[in-house]
Short mmCIF file of all heavy atoms in Angstrom, two decimals:
data_model
loop_
_atom_site.label_atom_id
_atom_site.label_comp_id
_atom_site.label_asym_id
_atom_site.label_seq_id
_atom_site.Cartn_x
_atom_site.Cartn_y
_atom_site.Cartn_z
N LEU A 47 235.74 -21.07 110.51
CA LEU A 47 236.50 -21.16 109.27
C LEU A 47 235.60 -21.24 108.05
O LEU A 47 235.81 -20.54 107.05
CB LEU A 47 237.43 -22.38 109.31
CG LEU A 47 238.57 -22.31 110.30
CD1 LEU A 47 239.33 -23.62 110.34
CD2 LEU A 47 239.50 -21.17 109.98
N LEU A 85 248.21 -30.09 108.10
CA LEU A 85 247.66 -30.18 106.75
C LEU A 85 248.73 -30.59 105.74
O LEU A 85 248.47 -31.39 104.84
CB LEU A 85 247.02 -28.85 106.34
CG LEU A 85 245.77 -28.44 107.12
CD1 LEU A 85 245.39 -27.01 106.80
CD2 LEU A 85 244.63 -29.39 106.83
N ASN A 96 253.75 -33.69 96.85
CA ASN A 96 255.09 -33.24 97.22
C ASN A 96 255.02 -31.81 97.75
O ASN A 96 253.97 -31.16 97.71
CB ASN A 96 256.06 -33.37 96.05
CG ASN A 96 255.71 -32.47 94.89
OD1 ASN A 96 255.27 -31.35 95.06
ND2 ASN A 96 255.91 -32.97 93.67
#
Side-chain angles (χ1 to χ4, degrees):
L47 292 175
L85 293 170
N96 65 37

